[in-house]
């Protein structure tokens, strides 16, 4: 089968022929019909995030498709079933895994972000059937971005809900794949007033379309003061940084109200420099959230299947176009999410 594999940090993925994996026990082979191209893949390919214990590895952690083959012990899915794939694979045995926080496993086996191959391939070997959620109405290639872009935003917003009582302000920095789902979810789950910040005007137009009340260019001067003025001097109750640079983390901290919460999702390598009485107010919490749980993915897909959480703009590309997708995302030219389609819909 064809697979796009990372052989060395800082070098393009190699699209090459690899064997189709064998299926055992409770494993499931999924024909990949959609693999979302996440900005984390850019960080990994460029060598900014070096989480892979060995190379080469097939990347792709945002996957959905159709069950192609099941191990003998598999009971919950059958060949031909359309499925979304939970990618935060863990050992299944540690304290995190047994309490349901598998993405925070002590020895992570994340799909396409560990020694386990991901979905930029015609087939994906899923280590256990518990990672599969059967799709009802959603097409797999549309469902794929819900397994990371939507799920990661969902967990972060769910964890900040106590701060987002009706009428409070929320700040979203970075309106890309994750941030767009973030704005939609804030609209769906809260009655907060949403401020969105991006450096791209087209993203700000999308932010307003998805329900942001106010938008600002990240390049504006005096942005901190403008946001404080807008919020009557108080600042926002919760800020979500989908970029994670020094500059965006500083903005999030500077405009978050007392008793508020700053959540970092973006992994641009910045430092959250918090200094009380200078740039951080009293009782502000800081958290960097990671992906989501299997249960949270079920909740996100329930919202999507019910038509309450709708997809963002998707662009579909064959596996062979993966280098073009890399370049377009890096240049900021992907409006919503690019989805690699290694196999046409079955
Ligand atoms: P994306 O490329 O689709 O979107 C990034 C957006 O940020 C773009 O709209 C871009 O214009 C905007 N931006 C860039 N610099 C900015 C700045 N200085 N100020 C304001 N806006 C700016 O990326 P994505 O796929 O949505 O991923 C976003 C981040 O989240 C990445 O760093 C990715 O690695 C990370 N991520 C984290 C998790 C997690 O579990 N914590 C999961 C998935 C992705
Ligand atoms: Zn991701
Ligand atoms: Zn574990």
């Amino acid at each position: 089968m064809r697979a796009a594999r990372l052989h060395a940090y800082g070098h393009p993925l190699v699209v090459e022929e690899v064997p189709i994996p064998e299926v055992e026990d409770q494993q499931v082979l999924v024909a990949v019909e959609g693999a979302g191209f996440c900005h984390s893949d850019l960080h990994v390919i460029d060598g900014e995030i070096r989480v892979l214990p060995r190379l080469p590895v097939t990347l792709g952690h945002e996957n959905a498709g159709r069950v192609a083959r099941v191990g003998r012990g598999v009971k919950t899915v059958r060949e031909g079933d359309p499925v979304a794939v939970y990618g935060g694979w863990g050992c299944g045995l540690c304290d995190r895994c047994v309490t349901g926080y598998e993405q925070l496993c002590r020895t992570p086996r994340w799909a396409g972000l560990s020694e386990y191959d991901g979905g930029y391939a015609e087939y994906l070997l899923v280590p256990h059937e518990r990672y599969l959620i059967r799709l009802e109405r959603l097409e797999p290639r549309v469902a794929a971005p819900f397994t990371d872009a939507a799920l990661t935003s969902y967990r972060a917003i769910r964890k900040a809900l106590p701060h987002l009582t009706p009428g409070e302000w929320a700040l979203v920095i970075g309106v890309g794949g994750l941030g767009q789902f973030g704005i939609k979810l804030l609209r769906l789950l809260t009655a907060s007033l949403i401020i969105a910040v991006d450096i791209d005007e087209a993203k700000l137009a999308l932010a307003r379309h998805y329900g942001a009340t106010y938008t600002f260019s990240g390049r504006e001067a005096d942005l901190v003061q403008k946001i404080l003025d807008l919020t009557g001097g108080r600042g926002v109750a919760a800020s979500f940084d989908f970029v994670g640079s020094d500059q965006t983390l500083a903005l999030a901290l500077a405009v978050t109200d007392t008793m508020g919460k700053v959540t970092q999702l973006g992994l641009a390598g910045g430092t959250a420099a918090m200094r009380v009485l200078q740039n951080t107010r009293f009782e502000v919490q800081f958290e960097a959230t990671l992906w989501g749980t299997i249960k949270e993915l079920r909740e996100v897909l329930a919202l999507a299947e019910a038509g309450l959480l709708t997809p963002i703009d998707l662009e579909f590309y064959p596996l062979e176009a993966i280098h073009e997708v890399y370049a377009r995302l890096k240049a900021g030219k992907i409006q919503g999410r690019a989805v690699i389609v290694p196999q046409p819909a079955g």
Side-chain angles (χ1 to χ4, degrees), residues 39-40 43 148 176-178 198 203 242 265 267 289 291 337:
H39 203 113
S40 299
H43 296 313
D148 177 20
L178 271 72
D198 202 291
K203 298 289 174 68
F242 292 94
L265 299 94
L267 302 171
T289 57
W291 217 337
R337 202 65 154 180

Side-chain angles (χ1 to χ4, degrees), residues 253-287:
L253 286 165
V255 301
T256 300
D257 194 5
T258 48
M259 299 183 81
K261 180 172 182 184
V262 176
T263 306
Q264 176 185 349
L265 299 94
L267 302 171
T271 302
M274 301 173 70
R275 186 153 159 204
V276 176
L277 292 172
Q278 194 200 47
N279 73 333
T280 306
R281 299 191 208 178
F282 283 109
E283 304 206 6
V284 166
Q285 297 175 15
F286 176 85
E287 184 173 44

Side-chain angles (χ1 to χ4, degrees), residues 171-190:
L171 172 64
V172 169
I173 305 172
V175 190
L178 271 72
Q180 290 169 30
F181 275 118
I183 291 171
K184 282 172 178 264
L185 283 162
L186 283 166
R187 281 303 294 259
L188 199 55
L189 302 177
T190 78

Side-chain angles (χ1 to χ4, degrees), residues 4-16 37 41 44-47 56-57 59 322-324 326-327:
R5 292 165 71 74
L6 183 70
H7 282 255
Y9 292 116
H11 292 269
L13 298 179
V14 179
V15 179
E16 60 190 331
F37 199 101
D41 289 327
V44 170
I45 295 167
D46 290 349
V57 163
L59 300 190
I322 201 155
H323 302 115
E324 184 190 336
Y326 166 90

Side-chain angles (χ1 to χ4, degrees), residues 34-333:
F37 199 101
C38 179
H39 203 113
S40 299
D41 289 327
L42 274 190
H43 296 313
V44 170
I45 295 167
D46 290 349
E48 294 161 6
I49 297 180
R50 297 183 178 230
V51 289
L52 303 173
R54 66 161 176 83
L55 293 171
V57 163
T58 305
L59 300 190
H61 55 272
E62 195 178 85
N63 306 305
R66 218 162 278 273
V67 173
R69 216 164 296 156
V70 296
R72 281 164 181 267
V74 171
K75 296 193 176 69
T76 53
V77 290
R78 286 194 293 196
E79 267 176 45
D81 281 353
V83 287
V85 181
Y86 174 79
W89 304 340
C91 69
L93 297 170
C94 75
D95 54 344
R96 295 288 183 254
C97 286
V98 297
T99 50
Y101 302 101
E102 201 161 330
Q103 81 281 11
L104 292 163
C105 175
R106 306 284 175 191
T107 51
R109 299 167 186 199
W110 304 325
L113 288 171
S114 70
E115 70 269 38
Y116 284 71
D117 285 328
Y120 296 156
E122 287 172 76
Y123 294 96
L124 170 66
L125 182 64
V126 178
H128 196 280
E129 58 183 304
R130 72 175 176 279
Y131 300 130
L132 300 176
I133 296 162
R134 209 180 171 288
L135 297 170
E136 303 297 333
R137 294 187 325 154
L138 283 179
E139 270 182 82
R141 62 186 200 155
V142 173
F146 286 90
T147 68
D148 177 20
L151 172 59
T152 303
S153 300
Y154 180 75
R155 177 168 176 79
I157 290 165
R158 277 280 311 270
K159 294 194 81 178
L161 282 184
H163 300 269
L164 290 171
T165 48
E168 288 290 354
W169 293 86
L171 172 64
V172 169
I173 305 172
V175 190
L178 271 72
Q180 290 169 30
F181 275 118
I183 291 171
K184 282 172 178 264
L185 283 162
L186 283 166
R187 281 303 294 259
L188 199 55
L189 302 177
T190 78
S192 54
L193 298 161
I194 303 164
I195 303 169
V197 174
D198 202 291
I199 48 174
D200 177 348
E201 285 299 329
K203 298 289 174 68
L204 294 179
L206 272 176
R208 289 189 290 272
H209 176 67
Y210 291 141
T213 324
Y214 294 92
T215 56
F216 291 103
S217 165
R219 301 190 203 280
E220 272 184 53
D222 299 330
L223 195 45
V224 170
Q225 195 55 48
K226 283 176 181 156
I227 292 174
L228 292 178
D229 289 346
L230 181 62
T231 56
R234 290 169 51 171
V236 302
S239 48
F240 301 91
D241 185 351
F242 292 94
V243 179
S245 66
D246 285 349
Q247 177 218 341
T248 56
L249 288 163
L251 172 64
L253 286 165
V255 301
T256 300
D257 194 5
T258 48
M259 299 183 81
K261 180 172 182 184
V262 176
T263 306
Q264 176 185 349
L265 299 94
L267 302 171
T271 302
M274 301 173 70
R275 186 153 159 204
V276 176
L277 292 172
Q278 194 200 47
N279 73 333
T280 306
R281 299 191 208 178
F282 283 109
E283 304 206 6
V284 166
Q285 297 175 15
F286 176 85
E287 184 173 44
T289 57
L290 177 72
W291 217 337
T293 66
I294 297 175
K295 174 70 165 69
E296 285 163 344
L297 179 56
R298 290 184 182 191
E299 292 166 12
V300 166
L301 288 169
L303 288 173
E305 295 278 13
L308 293 168
L309 180 62
T310 51
I312 58 175
D313 282 348
L314 302 177
E315 303 173 18
F316 300 107
Y317 296 86
L319 191 62
E320 278 63 29
I322 201 155
H323 302 115
E324 184 190 336
V325 172
Y326 166 90
R328 281 175 60 77
L329 187 65
K330 196 161 178 159
K333 288 189 178 150

